[in-house]
Amino acid sequence: MQLDEQSTRKQLIDRALREAGWGPIVHFDDPISRRLVVLKEYPTANGPADYVLFHSEEPLAIVEAKRRATGAQNVLQQAQRYASGLTGSPFNFYGFGVPFIYSSDGDTVWFRDLRDPHSRSRQVRKFHTPSALREMLQRDTAPSIDRLLATPVDHPLLRPYQQEAIRSIEGALAQGRRKLLVAMATGTGKTLTAIALLYRLMKSGYARRVLFLVDRRALAAQAVLAFSQFEVEPGLKFDRVYEVYSQRFHRNDLEEQRFDPKILPTSYLTNPDLGHTFVYVSTIQRMAINLFGLPDGSGWRSDQDEESDATILDIPIHAFDVIIADECHRGYTASEQGRWRQTLEHFDGIKIGLTATPALHTVSYFGNIVYQYEYERAVREGYLVDYDAITIQSRVTMQGAFLQPGEIVALQDRQTGRVRFEELEDERPLPAPDLEKEWAAPDRDRKVVQELAEYLLEQEQERGHFPKTLVFADNDIPHTSHADRLVNLLRDEFGRGDAFVQKITGSPTVDRPLQRIREFRNRPEPGIVVTVDMLSTGVDISALENIVFLRPVQSRILFEQMMGRGTRLCPEISKTHFTVFDAVGVLSYFEQASAFTVDPPAKPSVPVAQVIEAIYNNEDRDYNIRRLVKRLQRIAKEVSGEGRELFKRFIPDGDIAAFANSLPDALDTDWAATMRILRDPAFQDLLENYPRARSPFLIAESVEDEVVSGYLIHTTDGRSVRPDDYLAAFERFVRDNPEHIEAIRILLERPADWRTEALHELRQKLASQPERFTEDRLRQAYNHDLADIISMVKHAARGEPLLSAEERVRRAMATVRAGKSFTPEQEKWLDLIANHLVENLAIDQEDFNLITFTREGASWGRVNRDFGGGLEALLVQINAAMAS
């Protein structure tokens, strides 16, 4: 049943507040004591607030209520406006009269801490209790963060990468991240890293109550033992400094280890106290029973992890400051997915996931990986011109997705936003045109945002200011809003608070959209705005430097109006160009129909066979080995059991991960044998077309996308250059080096001296430059897939037309045949020579030993006889014609 706003307040929000311990709930002019009370319709300078929560005579929070169909998150802006208009308050946090604000539609509750101008709004399971808000008010994490960042990570037991992991986590916390994913390979000490991290967090005062979750009782026992053995200071173990509690263990759980685990008092869960400082190690199954009761159905693993003594408890959402989820990938099986997520989402604490194998659903929940052992950061791309187009190509955007029977999907009610999980009984295609209309793939947006962020941050560093960016989303429909999802992803990615990324649409959830537009135009923040239609026309934002298309557009007029948002000059920021990021193919769609044109998108990533060949030829060997290892590691995570069976033909046990990890050493110790495997065509085909594993889905969250951005060309000296700059460098090189590179001089001045040796020299000299002027790269830059190296050199030097090898051979052989007649046998040999030239561009006597000649009986002696002993002179003529 759809409730209006008044009924939503009475039936849902009033009850939720009372359940959290807030009450009585009375009208604002009621003379009741303000010691613990909720005042409704409380007047502020900016209008009446729906609820103001008082505790100890102080206003601690404002709650803004909306009916279910509205969507609660964006209403926080309205609560924030009331907070800025609250008078007579003892608080002043950057102009706000309360420290905290909420918004709710009765089903969902959103919260924000106004004490930090860069804080992120977040969804919470329930309203905080009065004691929770009071405790939060008394605590300030900023000094703790400062202490953490100022304290070296130098514990003698920690390896360098563990120290890096801790620094990365603490850095993410300093940026306001509340969900963090750490991926460290099996055996690299995730638990030790976590314990060292927790000691630092607790010693600094950042954390007091910590929940350490595992998925089996035996692992809980191991964790308790690890805490008891870790020496945090010389001669001092962790559990002698801070209390470490656990659940009851079975004898089998302890693995004959002698230690005395302490059972957590129930009151520590149900009545959190600011004076408590402890770690509680528990299975997530037990905690789920404590929160929700015994599960229904057989999906929950009660058979191996029976928690018969567990009972449901009234545990408030602030019971823990930090939650560590060890081996966080394990709990998200199809049958357990919702239960595990519910357990983690119950708590309003920092959540840190530890895993050796980050699955898509874990990334979906925890967000981007904050630290990954052996993870190599890609060189950020971005080189701007007057009008620069960057295509962000997504497989999901172009092809859609396909779900198989038995997969779990989440179905979200469009009216209420409620989600239920179902197992597919039949296969289900997800067509690309229906993306963001009938289905969503969060991984697609996540990777596009990651790709986008690299460019924007590089621009910021280059220009000394963050470039204002406008993102066009597909829709802003309540509960399924594409705009809202993008806002959240962008806020997570940049970590600069809610004000830095704003949504400006016609939705009633956007507070004062016109004022938001003025702020976007005239103020440093927001730096990024997500819109649908509202800013597509008639809005002059001269400082706009980036336009991002995540919305398909089929109207040429609308498309050109959208593009026009970025064309205006802005001398105040010395704007000389703007950049368009196309993630949905709009530029190619309007290529022939619009005044705005762009070169075709760059080709996809280099095929694995080409990477292997580069290793074989010792071209950037170390870089290409690292690239191949990453490809193999990705395959190891995606391959099915059937695929591993196929890989057994080439590598021991079909263990791709082990093969990848040992590959650098194998290439050093047994080059020939390893290269035989890598260069086997069947193995290379399997690397591209291996059977993929079918992952569970949650609103298509398990659809893994492949996203690449185009137009920049990387150089070996670390630069990224545009195609036209790349070609300009190539032209300068050709024009400046004829006297230094004999092959170029031959092509330009002495074509009669063109030989295979000259061709090899030319290719080697060009490829050895920092720009790596290879034929493939030059063809990509010229946007000519068949251009031969001779014509590209001549085009660079003299502007001659680009020819394919076939065209060049056809012209050369026509020159040779002009005015002459040849016998049928001679014509046969000329055709054979022509076929060789298409692939090789030159021919010498030694080439007649190649199989392409010998299998036709074309030995040098025989062909020379057929040409009356004049074959050598003929080849000189042919080579000269090829180079002319």
Side-chain angles (χ1 to χ4, degrees), residues 178-238:
R178 296 183 63 83
K179 292 181 181 179
L180 303 90
L181 183 60
V182 179
M184 296 173 62
T186 301
T188 56
K190 294 187 296 296
T191 301
L192 180 68
T193 304
I195 293 173
L197 169 71
L198 289 178
Y199 179 70
R200 289 172 57 84
L201 295 181
M202 297 172 80
K203 184 179 180 180
S204 70
Y206 185 86
R208 292 179 178 272
R209 302 182 297 268
V210 175
L211 175 62
F212 196 101
L213 288 172
V214 296
D215 77 328
R216 291 199 303 274
R217 246 192 342 261
L219 295 179
Q222 292 175 24
V224 173
L225 178 63
F227 275 101
S228 70
Q229 294 177 338
F230 185 75
E231 193 173 79
V232 294
E233 307 284 354
L236 205 56
K237 302 296 178 65
F238 189 106

Side-chain angles (χ1 to χ4, degrees), residues 180-310:
L180 303 90
L181 183 60
V182 179
M184 296 173 62
T186 301
T188 56
K190 294 187 296 296
T191 301
L192 180 68
T193 304
I195 293 173
L197 169 71
L198 289 178
Y199 179 70
R200 289 172 57 84
L201 295 181
M202 297 172 80
K203 184 179 180 180
S204 70
Y206 185 86
R208 292 179 178 272
R209 302 182 297 268
V210 175
L211 175 62
F212 196 101
L213 288 172
V214 296
D215 77 328
R216 291 199 303 274
R217 246 192 342 261
L219 295 179
Q222 292 175 24
V224 173
L225 178 63
F227 275 101
S228 70
Q229 294 177 338
F230 185 75
E231 193 173 79
V232 294
E233 307 284 354
L236 205 56
K237 302 296 178 65
F238 189 106
D239 63 351
R240 299 304 177 189
V241 180
Y242 299 113
E243 299 285 355
V244 178
Y245 294 102
S246 67
Q247 61 189 89
R248 297 185 186 279
F249 294 121
H250 294 176
R251 185 177 301 275
N252 293 337
D253 300 329
L254 304 181
E255 298 182 358
E256 299 182 356
Q257 296 288 344
R258 294 184 178 180
F259 66 100
D260 184 22
K262 298 178 181 179
I263 307 304
L264 182 74
T266 301
S267 62
Y268 277 41
L269 291 175
T270 57
N271 188 25
D273 190 308
L274 185 58
H276 294 161
T277 304
F278 65 92
V279 175
Y280 174 44
V281 181
S282 170
T283 65
I284 197 165
Q285 292 89 343
R286 184 181 186 86
M287 184 54 64
I289 294 173
N290 289 155
L291 293 173
F292 312 115
L294 290 170
D296 297 325
S298 60
W300 196 255
R301 291 188 295 159
S302 56
D303 56 332
Q304 76 175 68
D305 281 307
E306 183 181 3
E307 302 287 357
S308 58
D309 62 326

Side-chain angles (χ1 to χ4, degrees), residues 743-763:
I744 294 179
R745 171 174 272 183
I746 289 173
L747 279 179
L748 301 181
E749 301 175 9
R750 305 195 317 272
D753 293 336
W754 182 248
R755 300 288 188 277
T756 300
E757 182 181 357
L759 175 63
H760 289 166
E761 182 202 10
L762 178 66
R763 286 172 169 162

Side-chain angles (χ1 to χ4, degrees), residues 277-346:
T277 304
F278 65 92
V279 175
Y280 174 44
V281 181
S282 170
T283 65
I284 197 165
Q285 292 89 343
R286 184 181 186 86
M287 184 54 64
I289 294 173
N290 289 155
L291 293 173
F292 312 115
L294 290 170
D296 297 325
S298 60
W300 196 255
R301 291 188 295 159
S302 56
D303 56 332
Q304 76 175 68
D305 281 307
E306 183 181 3
E307 302 287 357
S308 58
D309 62 326
T311 58
I312 191 166
L313 301 171
D314 184 14
I315 303 176
I317 64 174
H318 73 294
F320 297 101
D321 307 315
V322 174
I323 298 95
I324 301 286
D326 195 19
E327 302 295 351
C328 59
H329 62 279
R330 288 181 177 170
Y332 294 94
T333 63
S335 57
E336 298 170 354
Q337 207 169 53
R339 190 82 165 182
W340 279 64
R341 179 168 289 204
Q342 281 182 329
T343 302
L344 293 175
E345 288 182 344
H346 174 83

Side-chain angles (χ1 to χ4, degrees), residues 408-414 417-424 428 438 698-699:
I408 305 299
V409 294
L411 303 178
Q412 187 170 28
D413 189 289
R414 294 176 187 266
R418 291 177 177 172
V419 177
R420 60 186 176 89
F421 295 90
E422 281 192 3
E423 180 177 334
L424 291 179
R428 180 175 178 180
E438 302 296 332
L698 182 68
I699 311 182

Side-chain angles (χ1 to χ4, degrees), residues 440-514:
D443 191 54
R444 171 254 200 175
D445 289 332
R446 183 182 305 109
K447 288 180 176 172
V448 168
V449 165
Q450 291 172 354
E451 200 79 8
L452 172 67
E454 293 187 8
Y455 289 97
L456 301 191
L457 292 174
E458 186 166 349
Q459 290 176 8
E460 180 182 36
Q461 183 178 5
E462 177 185 351
R463 303 170 192 179
H465 66 271
F466 188 86
K468 283 193 175 291
T469 300
L470 181 62
V471 180
F472 286 102
D474 192 278
N475 63 69
D476 187 24
I477 302 170
H479 303 303
T480 62
S481 170
H482 185 221
D484 284 348
R485 287 200 302 275
L486 290 174
V487 166
N488 283 327
L489 287 168
L490 287 161
R491 285 174 176 172
D492 286 343
E493 186 68 27
F494 287 92
R496 305 189 189 186
D498 284 13
F500 185 72
V501 181
Q502 292 285 313
K503 181 180 77 171
I504 304 179
T505 69
S507 167
T509 64
V510 178
D511 189 36
R512 300 184 176 182
L514 296 180

Side-chain angles (χ1 to χ4, degrees), residues 11-23 25 125-130 314 316:
Q11 298 181 32
L12 301 176
I13 299 178
D14 285 9
R15 182 177 63 193
L17 287 168
R18 291 190 183 98
E19 288 175 350
W22 292 98
I25 302 174
R125 184 78 173 179
K126 303 175 181 178
F127 289 104
H128 295 92
T129 64
D314 184 14

